[in-house]
């Protein structure tokens, strides 16, 4: 029953993933969440995030931001980033996950979704049949309160840790050196 919430992979951050390895495995597009995946909630893109997108594109991968944020937030975030986006996405509804694949002009099995929330990002990607990577959420140093949903996610991740058949479904995707 909890399997619908299990990610294909669970990574420390977007910066430990080897995007060239993903390309070599046949993936052609990365669909990213923004808040808490790439930056703390509401923050602008950092130079490191901007460089990440350049690295992903240099690996031959297309990118798209799929977010429940409004367009004003997204446009501010992508000021120095070339990427497609879908805002007000109503995640975890699969409709816009599938629209993202269509906009990237790739097949569903060529897409990977990367996000920080099990109940929204991973659940939606799983419902859509899209491979996914859960990353540990990014917080600002002053943030202390994580909320009830994050505590429920910890319980699901505990069960996930015992379900070895759900781990490493994509294979070796990690950088050997830091980004």
């Amino acid at each position: 029953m909890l399997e619908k919430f299990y990610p294909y992979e669970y990574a420390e951050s977007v910066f430990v993933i080897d995007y060239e390895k993903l390309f070599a495995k046949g993936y052609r597009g990365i669909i990213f969440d923004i808040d808490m995946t790439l930056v703390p909630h509401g923050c602008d893109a950092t130079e490191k995030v901007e460089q990440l997108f350049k690295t992903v594109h240099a690996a031959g991968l297309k990118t798209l931001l799929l977010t429940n944020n409004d367009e004003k937030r997204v446009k501010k975030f992508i000021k120095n980033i070339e990427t497609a986006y879908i805002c007000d996405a109503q995640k975890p509804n699969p409709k816009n996950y599938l629209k993202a694949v269509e906009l990237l002009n790739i097949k569903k099995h060529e897409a990977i979704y990367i996000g920080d929330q099990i109940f929204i990002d991973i659940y939606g990607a799983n419902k859509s049949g899209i491979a996914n990577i859960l990353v540990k959420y990014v917080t600002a140093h002053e943030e202390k309160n994580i909320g009830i949903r994050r505590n429920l996610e910890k319980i699901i991740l505990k069960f996930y840790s015992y379900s070895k058949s759900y781990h490493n479904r994509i294979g070796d995707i990690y950088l050997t050196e830091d980004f």
Side-chain angles (χ1 to χ4, degrees):
M1 182 177 112
L2 293 177
E3 295 85 6
K4 62 187 172 191
F5 299 111
Y6 291 169
Y8 282 51
E9 300 287 341
Y10 185 31
E12 191 69 31
S13 78
V14 296
F15 302 108
V16 301
I17 298 166
D18 188 328
Y19 296 94
E20 289 179 359
K21 286 181 182 177
L22 290 177
F23 186 85
K25 292 177 181 293
Y27 295 101
R28 297 297 177 256
I30 308 293
I31 305 167
F32 286 103
D33 175 46
I34 299 175
D35 288 331
M36 310 300 275
T37 298
L38 296 167
V39 294
H41 187 76
C43 290
D44 291 344
T46 62
E47 285 183 31
K48 191 172 181 179
V49 169
E50 291 168 5
Q51 183 57 50
L52 172 74
F53 276 81
K54 289 176 184 169
T55 300
V56 171
H57 294 150
L61 296 158
K62 300 174 185 178
T63 59
L64 184 139
L65 299 174
L66 183 66
T67 177
N68 287 342
N69 285 305
D70 63 22
E71 191 165 25
K72 181 180 177 187
R73 161 74 175 121
V74 176
K75 284 194 170 190
K76 185 177 178 207
F77 181 82
I78 65 169
K79 183 175 66 174
N80 297 316
I81 297 172
E82 278 190 50
T83 190
Y85 63 88
I86 298 173
C87 51
D88 300 313
Q90 301 172 355
K91 296 183 297 182
N93 184 328
K95 179 181 139 194
N96 282 316
Y97 288 81
L98 299 174
K99 182 179 178 185
V101 170
E102 186 180 310
L103 287 173
L104 289 170
N105 196 27
I106 60 175
K107 295 176 177 65
K108 191 164 56 168
H109 70 272
E110 295 175 319
I112 289 193
Y113 184 88
I114 301 177
D116 70 294
Q117 293 187 67
I118 288 175
F119 296 115
I120 295 174
D121 299 318
I122 302 309
Y123 179 56
N126 283 337
K127 281 176 63 175
S128 306
I130 296 173
N132 54 76
I133 302 171
L134 176 69
V135 294
K136 292 184 179 177
Y137 57 92
V138 179
T139 59
H141 293 292
E142 62 276 1
E143 290 183 68
K144 300 278 190 254
N145 187 3
I146 62 169
I148 192 165
R149 195 177 331 175
R150 293 292 187 188
N151 287 317
L152 291 172
E153 286 181 351
K154 287 180 184 180
I155 294 168
I156 289 174
L157 286 172
K158 188 64 143 173
F159 283 103
Y160 171 73
S161 72
Y162 297 129
S163 304
K164 301 296 183 204
S165 64
Y166 288 94
H167 295 209
N168 300 319
R169 289 187 273 168
I170 298 173
D172 178 24
I173 61 162
Y174 300 101
L175 289 167
T176 53
E177 309 174 356
D178 286 343
F179 183 82

